[in-house]
Amino acid sequence: MISCGAIEGRVFLEVKLDLSVTEVGFRATQFMAIQTLFGSVPTEPDLLDRLKAGIQKTRSGLADRLEDVLSGRKEIDADVLDELEYALITADLGVRTVQDIVENIRQRVDRRLASDATEIRSLVRERILEILRASEVPVRVVGAPPAVVMVVGVNGAGKTTTIGKLAHRFLGEGRKVLLCAADTFRAAAIEQLEVWAQRAHVDLIRQKTGADPSAVVFDALQAAKARGVDYVIVDTAGRLHTKENLMAELEKMRRTCQRVVPGSPHEVWLVLDATTGQNGLEQARKFTESAGVTGIILTKLDGTAKGGVVVAIARELNLPIRFVGVGEAIDDLLPFEPESFVESLFD
């Protein structure tokens, strides 16, 4: 079917066919907006290219493994599927996720719905996209500012850096941003966040090291309301997730948020280091159980071939990936879109 329409005043011609995953990904990349806590903003035009460059190691690892298994195969049998399963596990997609993918393919092979290497590649791709889409949950739209985002995660995951990059991104959306230095326990945490606040050109609310984190949150939210701030990004302590007192402190901070800004925190984002692979999945489980995590930010994706953990997190925890870090620059934090990610992996 052929239809006409317009997007932002530009006329377009759309031909509706039985679209392949590649075509769907292309169209999504072209027309999908990025969802924020205040509605949607246009997708950056170079997002796909930057994502492809950022996940090159993961892309190479997965593509090379699939090629090793499927290249030259004229027939798909049990041995090939076993090799495929092993290849996907070594790409760090996770055992349960891989078993799900391979079982789906095995059923199609048994019913003679798939019989060659090209079809198997397409099936792997399609199933990964289905898993990522299934975990997608829109961010909560905030009716009136401030929107409060708590950022949690263990030390070393890149939490402070990510907060600085988030502030820069929100500023780029035309929003007023305030940072809250509620990690008052780790040595130099406040000073590090102060450096990022200066780099991003945003204000910071802080107290001295050892202060009550909930008191800092209270001050920050009161300041945000008085100053007409759109976003408050709260840094939190990042001691090991096995420490019960850390989780109790996070819960106390949540109660403070709710008291000052009803309905907040509107989002709780867990920062995970992609280089930890499946260990990151275990961290996510612990924080999800205790901190009410609503989304994942995966950092250092450019430095690892273990980016397949994105798929494992989506399937096993049913948590959406909000952003991925693909470099050291302040603008190297990209919004995560399943279609763009899959297209970057396979094309």
Side-chain angles (χ1 to χ4, degrees):
M1 181 176 71
I2 300 177
S3 61
C4 293
I7 295 179
E8 297 179 349
R10 291 180 289 126
V11 176
F12 69 92
L13 186 67
E14 181 180 335
V15 181
K16 293 187 177 180
L17 303 171
D18 182 13
L19 295 175
S20 67
V21 174
T22 300
E23 292 167 316
V24 170
F26 174 78
R27 286 179 55 197
T29 301
Q30 295 296 308
F31 300 121
M32 183 182 294
I34 299 168
Q35 300 303 310
T36 77
L37 276 77
F38 292 102
S40 60
V41 297
T43 300
E44 296 98 317
D46 62 345
L47 177 64
L48 184 60
D49 290 337
R50 294 178 64 197
L51 189 58
K52 282 184 177 180
I55 66 170
Q56 183 60 44
K57 290 185 179 179
T58 294
R59 170 191 171 96
S60 297
L62 180 59
D64 290 349
R65 289 181 174 96
L66 285 177
E67 187 64 25
D68 289 343
V69 172
L70 300 174
S71 180
R73 304 282 187 150
K74 296 180 179 179
E75 182 179 341
I76 304 301
D77 56 21
D79 289 340
V80 173
L81 293 179
D82 287 343
E83 291 179 34
L84 176 65
E85 183 172 18
Y86 178 77
L88 294 175
I89 288 174
T90 57
D92 230 54
L93 271 71
V95 174
R96 294 178 186 174
T97 305
V98 171
Q99 288 174 342
D100 173 271
I101 293 172
V102 174
E103 180 58 29
N104 181 271
I105 293 172
R106 182 176 283 112
Q107 291 177 7
R108 296 201 184 196
V109 171
D110 290 344
R111 297 199 304 269
R112 300 188 183 281
L113 298 176
S115 59
D116 61 35
T118 300
E119 291 174 316
I120 299 303
R121 287 190 189 90
S122 295
L123 289 173
V124 172
R125 175 182 178 140
E126 288 172 11
R127 185 57 186 145
I128 287 176
L129 182 56
E130 287 172 1
I131 290 170
L132 293 175
R133 281 176 171 165
S135 69
E136 283 294 286
V137 178
V139 293
R140 290 173 58 186
V141 176
V142 177
V148 182
V149 178
M150 280 182 62
V151 182
V152 302
V154 299
N155 290 335
K159 183 162 51 68
T160 305
T161 299
T162 297
I163 289 172
K165 292 179 179 180
L166 280 172
H168 175 75
R169 171 166 284 278
F170 293 158
L171 274 178
E173 296 169 5
R175 297 295 176 176
K176 189 173 182 180
V177 182
L178 180 68
L179 302 187
C180 172
D183 181 357
T184 61
F185 295 106
R186 182 170 63 87
I190 297 173
E191 289 74 14
Q192 288 175 7
L193 191 62
E194 194 165 34
V195 170
W196 274 103
Q198 293 168 358
R199 288 184 66 184
H201 306 291
V202 299
D203 291 337
L204 171 72
I205 298 297
R206 56 166 292 177
Q207 291 187 17
K208 64 182 180 179
T209 300
D212 180 359
S214 294
V216 186
V217 171
F218 181 86
D219 288 349
L221 296 186
Q222 293 284 24
K225 292 167 70 175
R227 300 178 191 181
V229 166
D230 295 304
Y231 281 102
V232 180
I233 309 175
V234 182
D235 189 15
T236 62
R239 291 169 300 182
L240 289 176
H241 52 274
T242 52
K243 298 285 184 66
E244 291 183 4
N245 58 344
L246 170 59
M247 296 307 174
E249 190 61 60
L250 291 175
E251 180 55 35
K252 181 181 176 184
M253 292 164 65
R254 288 173 63 90
R255 292 197 300 270
T256 300
C257 288
Q258 291 166 4
R259 188 167 68 250
V260 182
V261 179
S264 70
H266 303 96
E267 291 283 325
V268 180
W269 292 340
L270 171 62
V271 177
L272 291 177
D273 179 349
T275 64
T276 62
Q278 293 298 305
N279 289 334
L281 183 59
E282 188 57 34
Q283 287 179 24
R285 285 195 182 96
K286 295 292 185 182
F287 272 101
T288 301
E289 292 168 3
S290 306
V293 172
T294 60
I296 301 291
I297 300 177
L298 200 62
T299 64
K300 309 177 188 179
L301 199 59
D302 56 312
T304 181
K306 297 182 177 181
V309 72
V310 168
V311 186
I313 289 170
R315 181 188 179 277
E316 297 191 30
L317 299 179
N318 199 30
L319 281 173
I321 313 297
R322 296 301 190 200
F323 296 92
V324 290
V326 295
E328 297 295 326
I330 197 168
D331 60 349
D332 282 338
L333 186 71
L334 305 181
F336 182 84
E337 297 173 352
E339 292 82 2
S340 297
F341 182 76
V342 172
E343 186 171 348
S344 300
L345 278 180
F346 287 93
D347 290 345

